[in-house]
Amino acid sequence: MATDLGELLVPYMPTIRVPRTGDRVFKSECAFSYDSPESEGGLYVCMNTFLGFGREHVERHYHKTGQSVYMHLKRHVKEKATGAAGGAISRRRNGKVFLDLELNRDFNGVDYEYEDEAKLVIFPDHFEIPLPNIEELPALVTIACDAVLNASSPYKKQEADSWEEEIQVSKHARSLRQQENGVRIPPSGWKCAKCEMRENLWLNLTDGSVLCGKWFFDGSGGNGHALEHYKETNFPLAVKLDTITPDGADIYSFDEEEAVLDPHISEHLLHFGIDMLQMQRTENGHHTDNDVQPCVSDWEVIQESSLKLKPVYGSGYTGIKNLGNSCYLSTTMQVLFSIPEFQRAYVGNLQRIFDYSPLDPTQDFSTQMAKLGHGLLSGQYSKPPMKSELIEQVMKEEYKQQQRGISPKMFKALVSKGHPEFSSDRQQDAHEFFLHLINLVERNSSGSENPGDVFRFLVEERVQCCQTQKVRYTQRVDYLMQLPVPLEAASNREELIAYESKRKEAEENMRPPPEPVRARIPFTACLQAFTEPENVPDFWSSALQAKSAGVKTSRFASFPEYMVMQIKKFTFGVDWVPKKLDVSVDVPDFLDLNRLRATGLQTGEAELPDLTPPIVIPEDTRAPEIDESSVMQLAEMGFPLEACRKAVYYTGNMGAEMAFNWIIAHMEEPDFAEPLAIPSYMEPDLPSPSFPTISALDNQPPEESISILTSMGFPRHHTIQALKATNNNLERALDWIFTHPDCEDESEAMSDTADTEPNNNSFSNANAHSDSSLSPDQDLSSPRVRDGPGRYELFAFISHMGSSTMSGHYVCHIKKEGRWLIYNDHKVCLSERPPKDLGYMYFYRRLSSC
């Protein structure tokens, strides 16, 4: 038999490979569907490309590539049998198991067991060879099979993991002696006992002192009083106050000089009045933040958790599993695939997209969009439980009529590739992800329908010189309308003033804060604030040939088919972390924006001359100052001083965290610790200032700015393009690079640069995410701008729970077939009370009757 198998595999031996370092083995998810080893047909892994395919798609790959040998993986999940004593029989596995293969079901590992089955399948005859079969298979095939079975998940972040050491239990945890001094820590209002710091506060677990910390990787900072206290007292352990949850907290040992674990942390905190085990937690396991005993009213109202919601199943009612802070992605994609244009572009062209997909479909945007759309809309992954299963659940009092949902790991890995935020496991802003995705749709729709055009509209900006009264009209493309929140217009203003007074009094006296009061803002006030003129800082008037005061107003030059509206609830706290305004806005079901239609140049208005600002050559050739505090923070971590200086300089003094990332990326370079060589400000070939008619954006950006970005690892042509597109603004250029990772250098320059000013904050600034800014003539005649009446009907909204975009949870409500539904990760239910006043992003469709 061994000879027979060996001879059978001889023709295919050149196509069988052993996975090498860097090869990704997809053994948990099909490249074209959400089939997995748990699916009825199992999963087929190509033994040459290591791509996974469901039964429905493996034939396509065979016919396209000619690869004949696949490993078929099948996982059988079943409830454990119980013995005579009523206990569950221990889990059994037959031979090899698929390591790093996660269960796709919400099964309790104690109550269920699984058996994994693997075999080689040779196409087209479907000849099967059971595995393991060491004695009968050629050595190369056996090695290749073992390597595939033991390969790690392709979604693991190997680089990030390599820097994360396992946290150990502190040697002080068991023997820690706490002082009986009567200290009780209030749920909020904390302040350093030695300074006024209210951020990055640490509770010493020995005496209950609340003191500020030093700089940490999360960007927070302090004056180091917690460390000074340890040096004075030798009290070793401290816990960061705003990290306490029922699951644990961030604990640091000053003696051991590292983050540690404390198995007795709940007892140690209870000593100071903090009962972490009784802290409130939401149904989905997402913790609220900042306060030890956070208010959960938002979570209950937005998720409708106090109501018994009815689950729904079938086409369009498929949930998306949370991969860990991925709800911003899930809610955005649920809304987008409820729009017919997205359904038609991807799901309607499913077979064509799949048939013409590249050899590696996991890296093809259209393929993964079609796969996600089909997964959400087909109903294949949203089926109600069988009647027998329901009866069994009721008998066990475990009645949870929930669907499994789909797991978008492959999709998230692709759309977040190269993006420093979306590629992380941290929570993100749904608004920013929406713009990021529309940008990806734009770049991947060349030569085909671009469904993102349904959001595309033109903004007319009118800038007026206050001294000469002359005006200039320009147009730009945008995808999203941002509404400011005028807190001064709250209808319950007196109630808010009284609450603020009580809150400050409680904070000063270290008492628990009063029950929060939410500001109620009329939608009309938000719309009015949107239309108000705004001052233009550093406005250069071409009429005066000098800087002057200027005002700007923005109106709609066109109305899109779908209007996306964001309520600007987020601002920045003292630690530069986005904070959310606790407001309620009575957003209407029907919206009429026709009165905001742009009018263009009016009779009697005089236009500003079409001139650009003169090019200013810097006179000061001295090197820029380097933030020595950031340098010392890095040096204290053990990095060479000169390397720290270079890191801070080349990241533009943007903080120690950014400089730390630069160090990690460049520490293997031979000149890593060499002294900093600062490039000269003055370049001999700078254009002469005697040519004022040349646009500043048409010239080479400052070499210093180019070197800062190229030193961070970005290609030179890419950095030049980014600087040109953002008027040589380093921070905006960095953001532009992250949102245009694959963009090639273009010869087109941005237009209308004469009277330069920042973009209007009332819109999304999505032109910074767009590949180009179209001229007015191009825009008005372009079929991509689908102008029409400005009357809309609300059909979806995304809500955020939590106090910052960096934490919390997102859910979305979508109106389908005349009824509202709530999409909360993998759960899809009929909505009883859609909280329209607490939304973050609202999606309107144009009324067809207009």
Side-chain angles (χ1 to χ4, degrees), residues 494-507:
E494 288 101 6
E495 192 178 355
L496 290 170
I497 294 174
Y499 162 73
E500 188 63 21
S501 176
K502 293 178 182 177
R503 186 191 66 80
K504 289 183 178 179
E505 181 182 350
E507 188 174 282

Side-chain angles (χ1 to χ4, degrees), residues 477-641:
V477 174
D478 217 324
Y479 295 89
L480 181 119
M481 172 187 183
Q482 290 184 307
L483 279 187
V485 180
L487 291 175
E488 66 278 3
S491 59
N492 58 338
R493 190 173 180 182
E494 288 101 6
E495 192 178 355
L496 290 170
I497 294 174
Y499 162 73
E500 188 63 21
S501 176
K502 293 178 182 177
R503 186 191 66 80
K504 289 183 178 179
E505 181 182 350
E507 188 174 282
E508 292 173 357
N509 298 316
M510 297 294 285
R511 294 200 308 264
E515 189 70 23
V517 176
R518 179 175 294 120
R520 295 191 294 270
I521 312 296
F523 178 80
T524 52
C526 297
L527 208 56
Q528 180 63 33
F530 171 84
T531 62
E532 293 293 329
E534 61 175 305
N535 293 324
V536 180
D538 297 322
F539 174 71
W540 187 85
S541 171
S542 58
L544 298 173
Q545 295 284 295
K547 287 188 176 182
S548 173
V551 294
K552 178 170 63 176
T553 55
S554 299
R555 294 293 185 270
F556 291 94
S558 70
F559 289 112
E561 291 190 28
Y562 290 83
M563 176 63 73
V564 184
M565 184 175 68
Q566 177 203 13
I567 304 295
K568 296 174 67 174
K569 292 186 174 183
F570 292 98
T571 182
F572 285 95
V574 295
D575 55 358
W576 288 90
V577 175
K579 307 286 185 181
K580 191 170 76 172
L581 303 175
D582 187 15
V583 296
S584 167
V585 181
D586 59 337
V587 176
D589 287 321
F590 296 94
L591 184 64
D592 190 342
L593 300 175
N594 280 312
R595 69 183 183 87
L596 300 182
R597 169 78 72 171
T599 57
L601 187 68
Q602 298 296 294
T603 304
E605 289 183 330
E607 288 192 87
L608 285 162
D610 189 12
L611 298 175
T612 59
I615 300 173
V616 179
I617 300 178
E619 297 180 357
D620 187 359
T621 60
R622 291 174 302 173
E625 294 183 1
I626 297 177
D627 183 1
E628 292 298 334
S629 63
S630 296
V631 173
M632 295 310 299
Q633 289 167 9
L634 296 170
E636 288 176 0
M637 298 164 60
F639 298 113
L641 180 62

Side-chain angles (χ1 to χ4, degrees), residues 684-697:
D685 298 328
L686 279 175
S688 170
S690 61
F691 297 94
T693 58
I694 299 178
S695 170
L697 291 178

Side-chain angles (χ1 to χ4, degrees), residues 350-468:
L350 185 79
Q351 290 305 319
R352 182 184 64 81
I353 292 174
F354 283 179
D355 288 342
Y356 290 94
S357 63
L359 293 179
D360 186 359
T362 68
Q363 299 301 301
D364 182 60
F365 179 78
S366 295
T367 299
Q368 294 308 311
M369 281 287 284
K371 168 185 170 179
L372 179 63
H374 179 263
L376 294 176
L377 300 175
S378 65
Q380 183 176 342
Y381 306 97
S382 176
K383 297 178 180 179
M386 302 291 291
K387 185 177 294 186
S388 58
E389 294 178 0
L390 290 177
I391 295 174
E392 185 176 353
Q393 289 176 4
V394 172
M395 294 292 291
K396 291 184 175 182
E397 298 181 352
E398 295 178 351
Y399 182 64
K400 292 183 179 180
Q401 197 172 355
Q402 298 176 3
Q403 57 171 277
R404 292 166 51 188
I406 58 177
S407 179
K409 288 185 178 180
M410 193 176 292
F411 178 79
K412 183 179 185 297
L414 177 63
V415 299
S416 63
K417 184 178 180 180
H419 195 287
E421 293 299 329
F422 300 135
S423 60
S424 73
D425 292 330
R426 298 185 296 271
Q427 184 63 277
Q428 303 299 331
D429 190 341
H431 147 250
E432 294 180 358
F433 180 75
F434 169 78
L435 292 178
H436 173 70
L437 191 88
I438 293 301
N439 186 46
L440 290 177
V441 171
E442 173 97 14
R443 296 211 309 266
N444 288 277
S445 297
S446 177
S448 60
E449 177 187 6
N450 178 6
D453 286 348
V454 299
F455 303 116
R456 188 181 177 93
F457 61 93
L458 298 178
V459 178
E460 179 187 88
E461 294 183 343
R462 177 186 183 272
V463 180
Q464 183 174 36
C465 174
C466 295
Q467 190 168 340
T468 65

Side-chain angles (χ1 to χ4, degrees), residues 776-790:
D777 293 339
Q778 289 173 315
D779 288 337
L780 291 174
S781 61
S782 171
R784 298 184 58 194
V785 177
R786 308 176 185 182
D787 195 11

Side-chain angles (χ1 to χ4, degrees), residues 21 82 287 374 470 571:
T21 302
T82 55
H287 298 284
H374 179 263
K470 292 185 178 182
T571 182

